[in-house]
mmCIF file of all heavy atoms in Angstrom:
data_model
loop_
_atom_site.group_PDB
_atom_site.id
_atom_site.type_symbol
_atom_site.label_atom_id
_atom_site.label_comp_id
_atom_site.label_asym_id
_atom_site.label_seq_id
_atom_site.Cartn_x
_atom_site.Cartn_y
_atom_site.Cartn_z
ATOM 1 N N GLU A 1 13.898 141.978 92.018
ATOM 2 C CA GLU A 1 12.444 141.752 92.414
ATOM 3 C C GLU A 1 12.324 140.448 93.135
ATOM 4 O O GLU A 1 13.176 139.589 93.105
ATOM 5 C CB GLU A 1 11.539 141.725 91.156
ATOM 6 C CG GLU A 1 11.799 140.610 90.247
ATOM 7 C CD GLU A 1 10.736 140.594 89.108
ATOM 8 O OE1 GLU A 1 9.792 140.058 89.080
ATOM 9 O OE2 GLU A 1 11.157 141.243 88.005
ATOM 10 N N ASP A 2 11.247 140.298 93.913
ATOM 11 C CA ASP A 2 11.035 139.114 94.850
ATOM 12 C C ASP A 2 11.269 137.827 94.024
ATOM 13 O O ASP A 2 10.668 137.600 92.990
ATOM 14 C CB ASP A 2 9.703 139.011 95.308
ATOM 15 C CG ASP A 2 9.473 140.130 96.491
ATOM 16 O OD1 ASP A 2 10.365 140.734 96.943
ATOM 17 O OD2 ASP A 2 8.278 140.307 96.758
ATOM 18 N N GLY A 3 12.204 136.938 94.628
ATOM 19 C CA GLY A 3 12.400 135.696 94.090
ATOM 20 C C GLY A 3 13.200 135.514 92.673
ATOM 21 O O GLY A 3 12.965 134.442 92.022
ATOM 22 N N ASP A 4 13.802 136.560 92.287
ATOM 23 C CA ASP A 4 14.509 136.516 91.043
ATOM 24 C C ASP A 4 15.875 135.748 91.072
ATOM 25 O O ASP A 4 16.457 135.546 90.010
ATOM 26 C CB ASP A 4 14.741 137.869 90.504
ATOM 27 C CG ASP A 4 15.547 138.800 91.290
ATOM 28 O OD1 ASP A 4 16.263 138.374 92.359
ATOM 29 O OD2 ASP A 4 15.715 140.047 90.966
ATOM 30 N N THR A 5 16.290 135.301 92.225
ATOM 31 C CA THR A 5 17.608 134.666 92.353
ATOM 32 C C THR A 5 17.466 133.531 93.425
ATOM 33 O O THR A 5 16.734 133.723 94.441
ATOM 34 C CB THR A 5 18.655 135.722 92.811
ATOM 35 O OG1 THR A 5 18.775 136.767 91.914
ATOM 36 C CG2 THR A 5 19.977 135.122 93.091
ATOM 37 N N VAL A 6 18.179 132.504 93.235
ATOM 38 C CA VAL A 6 18.111 131.464 94.318
ATOM 39 C C VAL A 6 19.517 131.220 94.798
ATOM 40 O O VAL A 6 20.527 131.247 93.945
ATOM 41 C CB VAL A 6 17.619 130.024 93.659
ATOM 42 C CG1 VAL A 6 17.517 128.971 94.750
ATOM 43 C CG2 VAL A 6 16.289 130.350 92.968
ATOM 44 N N THR A 7 19.767 130.943 96.132
ATOM 45 C CA THR A 7 21.070 130.665 96.720
ATOM 46 C C THR A 7 20.899 129.320 97.605
ATOM 47 O O THR A 7 19.723 129.013 97.887
ATOM 48 C CB THR A 7 21.692 131.863 97.397
ATOM 49 O OG1 THR A 7 22.916 131.472 97.802
ATOM 50 C CG2 THR A 7 20.853 132.179 98.668
ATOM 51 N N HIS A 8 21.895 128.886 98.083
ATOM 52 C CA HIS A 8 21.898 127.823 99.151
ATOM 53 C C HIS A 8 21.362 128.314 100.510
ATOM 54 O O HIS A 8 21.732 129.532 100.768
ATOM 55 C CB HIS A 8 23.288 127.187 99.231
ATOM 56 C CG HIS A 8 24.318 128.042 99.580
ATOM 57 N ND1 HIS A 8 24.867 128.964 98.713
ATOM 58 C CD2 HIS A 8 24.948 128.266 100.847
ATOM 59 C CE1 HIS A 8 25.798 129.662 99.399
ATOM 60 N NE2 HIS A 8 25.870 129.236 100.654
ATOM 61 N N SER A 9 20.775 127.489 101.292
ATOM 62 C CA SER A 9 20.382 127.884 102.594
ATOM 63 C C SER A 9 21.151 127.197 103.647
ATOM 64 O O SER A 9 20.978 127.468 104.756
ATOM 65 C CB SER A 9 18.894 127.753 102.819
ATOM 66 O OG SER A 9 18.584 126.315 102.652
ATOM 67 N N ASP A 10 21.951 126.225 103.226
ATOM 68 C CA ASP A 10 22.842 125.590 104.239
ATOM 69 C C ASP A 10 23.983 125.131 103.516
ATOM 70 O O ASP A 10 24.069 125.156 102.269
ATOM 71 C CB ASP A 10 22.107 124.333 104.989
ATOM 72 C CG ASP A 10 21.544 123.211 103.884
ATOM 73 O OD1 ASP A 10 22.319 122.960 102.911
ATOM 74 O OD2 ASP A 10 20.546 122.763 104.000
ATOM 75 N N LYS A 11 24.969 124.471 104.146
ATOM 76 C CA LYS A 11 26.210 124.051 103.525
ATOM 77 C C LYS A 11 26.374 122.512 103.272
ATOM 78 O O LYS A 11 27.302 121.997 103.169
ATOM 79 C CB LYS A 11 27.467 124.672 104.180
ATOM 80 C CG LYS A 11 27.592 124.222 105.636
ATOM 81 C CD LYS A 11 28.777 124.895 106.201
ATOM 82 C CE LYS A 11 28.958 124.491 107.677
ATOM 83 N NZ LYS A 11 30.096 125.104 108.321
ATOM 84 N N SER A 12 25.142 121.982 103.312
ATOM 85 C CA SER A 12 25.131 120.470 102.975
ATOM 86 C C SER A 12 25.620 120.350 101.546
ATOM 87 O O SER A 12 25.436 121.285 100.668
ATOM 88 C CB SER A 12 23.618 119.961 103.078
ATOM 89 O OG SER A 12 22.802 120.543 102.101
ATOM 90 N N LEU A 13 26.106 119.217 101.176
ATOM 91 C CA LEU A 13 26.687 118.844 99.940
ATOM 92 C C LEU A 13 25.571 118.602 98.862
ATOM 93 O O LEU A 13 24.556 118.047 99.226
ATOM 94 C CB LEU A 13 27.577 117.634 99.984
ATOM 95 C CG LEU A 13 28.756 117.783 100.939
ATOM 96 C CD1 LEU A 13 29.637 116.564 100.863
ATOM 97 C CD2 LEU A 13 29.785 118.991 100.486
ATOM 98 N N LYS A 14 25.735 119.336 97.699
ATOM 99 C CA LYS A 14 24.672 119.247 96.696
ATOM 100 C C LYS A 14 25.315 118.711 95.386
ATOM 101 O O LYS A 14 26.566 118.833 95.150
ATOM 102 C CB LYS A 14 24.160 120.676 96.374
ATOM 103 C CG LYS A 14 23.550 121.266 97.667
ATOM 104 C CD LYS A 14 23.604 122.848 97.635
ATOM 105 C CE LYS A 14 23.040 123.401 98.815
ATOM 106 N NZ LYS A 14 23.832 123.175 100.060
ATOM 107 N N ARG A 15 24.626 118.131 94.570
ATOM 108 C CA ARG A 15 25.013 117.506 93.337
ATOM 109 C C ARG A 15 24.020 117.792 92.121
ATOM 110 O O ARG A 15 24.473 118.200 91.130
ATOM 111 C CB ARG A 15 25.363 116.223 93.341
ATOM 112 C CG ARG A 15 26.316 115.604 92.293
ATOM 113 C CD ARG A 15 26.760 114.275 92.524
ATOM 114 N NE ARG A 15 27.838 114.230 93.339
ATOM 115 C CZ ARG A 15 29.008 113.543 93.182
ATOM 116 N NH1 ARG A 15 29.003 112.592 92.195
ATOM 117 N NH2 ARG A 15 30.075 113.548 93.907
ATOM 118 N N ASN A 16 22.777 117.453 92.363
ATOM 119 C CA ASN A 16 21.775 117.622 91.277
ATOM 120 C C ASN A 16 20.595 118.333 91.938
ATOM 121 O O ASN A 16 19.910 117.948 92.930
ATOM 122 C CB ASN A 16 21.345 116.168 90.864
ATOM 123 C CG ASN A 16 22.456 115.435 90.240
ATOM 124 O OD1 ASN A 16 23.098 115.890 89.464
ATOM 125 N ND2 ASN A 16 22.646 114.095 90.675
ATOM 126 N N LEU A 17 20.236 119.432 91.202
ATOM 127 C CA LEU A 17 19.227 120.270 91.844
ATOM 128 C C LEU A 17 18.143 120.683 90.705
ATOM 129 O O LEU A 17 18.593 120.683 89.508
ATOM 130 C CB LEU A 17 19.807 121.587 92.242
ATOM 131 C CG LEU A 17 20.890 121.569 93.406
ATOM 132 C CD1 LEU A 17 21.496 122.884 93.616
ATOM 133 C CD2 LEU A 17 20.193 120.956 94.708
ATOM 134 N N SER A 18 16.845 120.815 91.088
ATOM 135 C CA SER A 18 15.794 121.125 90.009
ATOM 136 C C SER A 18 15.027 122.399 90.634
ATOM 137 O O SER A 18 14.735 122.437 91.773
ATOM 138 C CB SER A 18 14.820 119.933 89.928
ATOM 139 O OG SER A 18 15.544 118.750 89.440
ATOM 140 N N PHE A 19 14.778 123.165 89.655
ATOM 141 C CA PHE A 19 14.091 124.517 89.825
ATOM 142 C C PHE A 19 12.984 124.685 88.749
ATOM 143 O O PHE A 19 12.979 124.131 87.737
ATOM 144 C CB PHE A 19 15.136 125.603 89.676
ATOM 145 C CG PHE A 19 16.300 125.553 90.599
ATOM 146 C CD1 PHE A 19 17.473 124.762 90.116
ATOM 147 C CD2 PHE A 19 16.370 126.067 91.900
ATOM 148 C CE1 PHE A 19 18.559 124.710 90.884
ATOM 149 C CE2 PHE A 19 17.521 125.902 92.669
ATOM 150 C CZ PHE A 19 18.637 125.240 92.205
ATOM 151 N N VAL A 20 12.105 125.678 89.206
ATOM 152 C CA VAL A 20 11.190 126.083 88.066
ATOM 153 C C VAL A 20 11.228 127.581 88.047
ATOM 154 O O VAL A 20 11.021 128.230 89.150
ATOM 155 C CB VAL A 20 9.796 125.579 88.293
ATOM 156 C CG1 VAL A 20 8.845 126.258 87.284
ATOM 157 C CG2 VAL A 20 9.789 124.018 88.251
ATOM 158 N N TRP A 21 11.524 128.150 86.846
ATOM 159 C CA TRP A 21 11.550 129.687 86.646
ATOM 160 C C TRP A 21 10.383 130.060 85.877
ATOM 161 O O TRP A 21 9.879 129.358 85.036
ATOM 162 C CB TRP A 21 12.856 130.003 85.809
ATOM 163 C CG TRP A 21 13.012 131.400 85.470
ATOM 164 C CD1 TRP A 21 13.403 132.422 86.306
ATOM 165 C CD2 TRP A 21 12.708 131.911 84.285
ATOM 166 N NE1 TRP A 21 13.483 133.642 85.541
ATOM 167 C CE2 TRP A 21 12.926 133.193 84.297
ATOM 168 C CE3 TRP A 21 12.198 131.331 82.982
ATOM 169 C CZ2 TRP A 21 12.847 134.106 83.270
ATOM 170 C CZ3 TRP A 21 12.088 132.237 81.886
ATOM 171 C CH2 TRP A 21 12.309 133.580 81.948
ATOM 172 N N LYS A 22 9.737 131.169 86.360
ATOM 173 C CA LYS A 22 8.563 131.767 85.564
ATOM 174 C C LYS A 22 8.954 132.951 84.982
ATOM 175 O O LYS A 22 9.506 133.862 85.570
ATOM 176 C CB LYS A 22 7.342 132.116 86.661
ATOM 177 C CG LYS A 22 6.170 132.577 85.989
ATOM 178 C CD LYS A 22 5.013 132.811 87.031
ATOM 179 C CE LYS A 22 3.887 133.223 86.310
ATOM 180 N NZ LYS A 22 3.927 134.513 85.452
ATOM 181 N N ALA A 23 8.689 132.928 83.581
ATOM 182 C CA ALA A 23 8.891 134.129 82.726
ATOM 183 C C ALA A 23 7.926 135.256 83.064
ATOM 184 O O ALA A 23 6.835 134.966 83.379
ATOM 185 C CB ALA A 23 8.859 133.701 81.284
ATOM 186 N N PRO A 24 8.443 136.464 82.968
ATOM 187 C CA PRO A 24 7.532 137.647 83.171
ATOM 188 C C PRO A 24 6.301 137.484 82.031
ATOM 189 O O PRO A 24 6.558 136.885 81.026
ATOM 190 C CB PRO A 24 8.338 138.865 82.888
ATOM 191 C CG PRO A 24 9.817 138.378 83.197
ATOM 192 C CD PRO A 24 9.824 136.972 82.710
ATOM 193 N N ASP A 25 5.196 138.064 82.430
ATOM 194 C CA ASP A 25 4.078 138.040 81.438
ATOM 195 C C ASP A 25 4.356 138.980 80.360
ATOM 196 O O ASP A 25 3.728 138.790 79.281
ATOM 197 C CB ASP A 25 2.833 138.638 82.257
ATOM 198 C CG ASP A 25 2.396 137.596 83.270
ATOM 199 O OD1 ASP A 25 2.678 136.353 83.109
ATOM 200 O OD2 ASP A 25 1.796 137.881 84.333
ATOM 201 N N GLN A 26 5.261 140.037 80.454
ATOM 202 C CA GLN A 26 5.580 140.854 79.336
ATOM 203 C C GLN A 26 6.770 140.280 78.566
ATOM 204 O O GLN A 26 7.567 139.684 79.280
ATOM 205 C CB GLN A 26 5.666 142.309 79.756
ATOM 206 C CG GLN A 26 7.067 142.584 80.394
ATOM 207 C CD GLN A 26 6.917 142.259 81.949
ATOM 208 O OE1 GLN A 26 6.100 141.610 82.328
ATOM 209 N NE2 GLN A 26 8.018 142.524 82.692
ATOM 210 N N PRO A 27 6.958 140.582 77.273
ATOM 211 C CA PRO A 27 8.138 140.123 76.632
ATOM 212 C C PRO A 27 9.378 140.681 76.987
ATOM 213 O O PRO A 27 9.452 141.824 77.393
ATOM 214 C CB PRO A 27 7.816 140.501 75.094
ATOM 215 C CG PRO A 27 6.343 140.779 75.027
ATOM 216 C CD PRO A 27 5.876 141.271 76.314
ATOM 217 N N ILE A 28 10.424 139.823 77.253
ATOM 218 C CA ILE A 28 11.620 140.248 77.624
ATOM 219 C C ILE A 28 12.687 139.787 76.716
ATOM 220 O O ILE A 28 13.948 140.195 76.785
ATOM 221 C CB ILE A 28 12.077 139.785 79.024
ATOM 222 C CG1 ILE A 28 12.026 138.285 79.190
ATOM 223 C CG2 ILE A 28 11.161 140.525 80.102
ATOM 224 C CD1 ILE A 28 12.671 137.719 80.508
ATOM 225 N N GLY A 29 12.545 138.994 75.694
ATOM 226 C CA GLY A 29 13.455 138.469 74.779
ATOM 227 C C GLY A 29 14.127 137.168 75.338
ATOM 228 O O GLY A 29 13.756 136.544 76.242
ATOM 229 N N ASP A 30 15.236 136.754 74.519
ATOM 230 C CA ASP A 30 15.891 135.538 74.789
ATOM 231 C C ASP A 30 16.534 135.654 76.220
ATOM 232 O O ASP A 30 17.063 136.749 76.643
ATOM 233 C CB ASP A 30 16.856 135.221 73.925
ATOM 234 C CG ASP A 30 16.291 135.074 72.481
ATOM 235 O OD1 ASP A 30 15.111 134.901 72.424
ATOM 236 O OD2 ASP A 30 17.076 135.053 71.446
ATOM 237 N N ILE A 31 16.588 134.421 76.870
ATOM 238 C CA ILE A 31 17.328 134.417 78.305
ATOM 239 C C ILE A 31 18.375 133.234 78.271
ATOM 240 O O ILE A 31 18.302 132.362 77.465
ATOM 241 C CB ILE A 31 16.357 134.267 79.374
ATOM 242 C CG1 ILE A 31 15.349 133.035 79.263
ATOM 243 C CG2 ILE A 31 15.402 135.573 79.465
ATOM 244 C CD1 ILE A 31 15.711 131.962 80.300
#
């Protein structure tokens, strides 16, 4: 589904990254 995965968009060096994930509105259990 749209936006369920994140990947790099360039090959710049990375070390510390922050994201926000939104849980579905319906119960899905532990993740």
Side-chain angles (χ1 to χ4, degrees):
E1 67 177 273
D2 287 347
D4 62 5
T5 301
V6 185
T7 189
H8 57 287
S9 61
D10 61 40
K11 57 183 179 179
S12 65
L13 297 179
K14 298 154 187 65
R15 196 172 274 222
N16 299 310
L17 303 171
S18 296
F19 306 85
V20 176
W21 174 81
K22 184 180 181 300
D25 292 332
Q26 73 281 5
I28 59 167
D30 299 349
I31 56 110

